[in-house]
Amino acid sequence: MAGERPLVVATDETVLDEILRVAAVAGCELDRAPDLTAAGGQWARAPLVVLDEETALRPPRLPRRGGILLVCKGAPAPRTWEHAFRVGVERVISLPEEETELAGAFADVVETPAEEAGLVLGVVGGRGGAGASVFAATLALAADRDPGGALLVDCDPLGGGLDLLLGLEKTPGPRWSEVRLSGRVSVPALAAALPQRRHRGGSLPVLACGREGEGPSAESLSAVLSAGRRAGRTVVCDLPRTLGDAAAEAVTVADLVVLVVPVEFRACMAAKQVLRSLSALTARLGVVACGRSRSGVSAARTAGLLGPPLLAAMPPERGLPGAVERGEFPAKPAGPLSAAAANVLAVARREARAASR
């Protein structure tokens, strides 16, 4: 409906193009009027009104209202401030410096914050080949069955691509090499554009690195994590063992970071090195011990050697290695992998609710 969309009244084509571009990134549809006279009834009904300098400098012909933004290309002229006050402008935004503020205003119209904030979960392998990517994908699929949904984010540019793991390598949609985001992001718009893994509970959006070897920037990843949390989604990040700026950002803001460690002494020693860099950024850590030890080392002993609490013990799942090798991602609703993912989700939700009280 027309009254539910922001109204833009702008005659400067350059400024108008910038406003339309920012709105598109935020996933916000706009109503447009050529001048204030033509705005008519939309002026009062629109949740937000955006003006350019040329429009604001003209004598106001409409009643005062709240929620008016004035967008300028560069710093506003001195006389603009006087006219802005006369029109009832609440905020003056200079482009491109304050583009994030404009995107945020549009995002506020598009997305009402969820009643319960979403989770950000990180998954990292204690050593190479630990199965962290498989566990991250399973965790995201489990979380996507909840009403808020989930988003699986590939943060390991050298991991081969989560789209390949999930059989989505030929599915159209942007990978990180094509995505550059900042400020406020529309999660529905982003999710709709991404490749999606279908499952019994719906479709899981996947933002993968692809084969180009290019991962997310810290700014882009931060925008996605903030948007997911605001929208009530669980964002699962598949993290590299060596943390770059983007992965470090994810670890810092995550509600829980899961270290997947095979039940082996050498794996524990390797995991200690990974844990050292993680511990410098967060204390919200847990261990998922996987496999069986030939020397009789238990899952509890594995976690005890590392320090963080044991979240789940995951015995070997029959046929899993072969299925992954064949590109047939396991979708079993039961089994050790799904059970461990359910345990981790339960712990993360419980701790997040306790922290919010």
Side-chain angles (χ1 to χ4, degrees):
M1 294 175 58
E4 297 177 348
R5 297 186 295 197
L7 171 66
V8 177
V9 187
T11 56
D12 185 320
E13 291 297 328
T14 301
V15 173
L16 178 60
D17 287 345
E18 287 296 297
I19 293 172
L20 296 177
R21 180 184 62 79
V22 174
V25 171
C28 183
E29 295 184 358
L30 304 175
D31 284 330
R32 294 166 55 185
D35 52 50
L36 291 174
T37 302
Q42 292 174 298
W43 176 265
R45 294 196 307 269
L48 181 72
V49 173
V50 182
L51 309 177
D52 67 348
E53 271 190 284
E54 291 185 25
T55 303
L57 290 174
R58 295 171 183 171
R61 301 175 182 274
L62 295 166
R64 293 177 69 89
R65 55 152 290 165
I68 301 178
L69 304 183
L70 172 57
V71 176
C72 307
K73 190 71 174 175
R79 63 175 182 155
T80 299
W81 293 102
E82 178 185 346
H83 288 271
F85 176 77
R86 185 184 305 170
V87 176
V89 169
E90 289 186 356
R91 197 179 347 161
V92 177
I93 295 177
S94 299
L95 298 179
E97 293 83 0
E98 297 175 328
E99 179 179 312
T100 297
E101 291 190 32
L102 181 59
F106 286 140
D108 283 338
V109 174
V110 175
E111 297 179 6
T112 302
E115 292 185 7
E116 186 172 346
L119 295 172
V120 175
L121 306 177
V123 180
V124 59
R127 66 156 169 79
S133 294
V134 172
F135 186 75
T138 304
L139 190 62
L141 285 167
D144 198 49
R145 296 185 180 94
D146 291 338
L151 173 64
L152 179 59
V153 179
D154 190 352
C155 302
D156 187 359
L158 301 181
L162 284 179
D163 54 349
L164 186 62
L165 174 67
L166 291 165
L168 299 173
E169 67 274 14
K170 296 181 181 179
T171 304
R175 273 61 172 176
W176 272 122
S177 59
E178 306 163 72
V179 175
R180 286 295 175 266
L181 303 167
S182 63
R184 292 286 286 277
V185 176
S186 168
V187 168
L190 177 63
L194 293 173
Q196 301 197 10
R197 165 75 184 208
R198 296 188 180 278
H199 58 92
R200 290 185 180 181
S203 295
L204 171 69
V206 181
L207 184 47
C209 291
R211 255 62 58 208
E212 292 80 7
E214 186 173 353
S217 67
E219 185 179 30
S220 293
L221 183 57
S222 178
V224 170
L225 299 183
S226 296
R229 195 190 293 280
R230 173 182 167 81
R233 290 203 181 219
T234 296
V235 184
V236 179
C237 300
D238 183 28
L239 300 168
R241 287 180 295 133
T242 301
L243 302 178
D245 291 343
E249 170 70 17
V251 170
T252 301
V253 304
D255 296 282
L256 180 65
V257 177
V258 180
L259 189 62
V260 180
V261 186
V263 187
E264 304 166 1
F265 182 73
R266 286 186 62 194
C268 286
M269 294 302 99
K272 276 184 174 291
Q273 305 302 314
V274 178
L275 187 60
R276 183 175 293 112
S277 60
L278 295 174
S279 299
L281 298 170
T282 184
R284 297 181 292 274
L285 297 163
V287 172
V288 169
C290 59
R292 286 196 179 94
S293 172
R294 295 179 181 178
S295 60
V297 177
S298 67
R301 175 61 175 161
T302 298
L305 289 171
L306 295 170
L310 179 66
L311 303 176
M314 190 168 59
E317 184 158 323
R318 185 177 180 182
L320 176 60
V324 172
E325 185 65 27
R326 293 191 301 271
E328 302 168 1
F329 186 80
K332 297 179 182 178
L337 189 59
S338 293
N343 286 345
V344 169
L345 276 176
V347 170
R349 289 171 183 145
R350 184 170 62 248
E351 293 188 356
R353 285 170 185 152
S356 65
R357 288 173 187 162

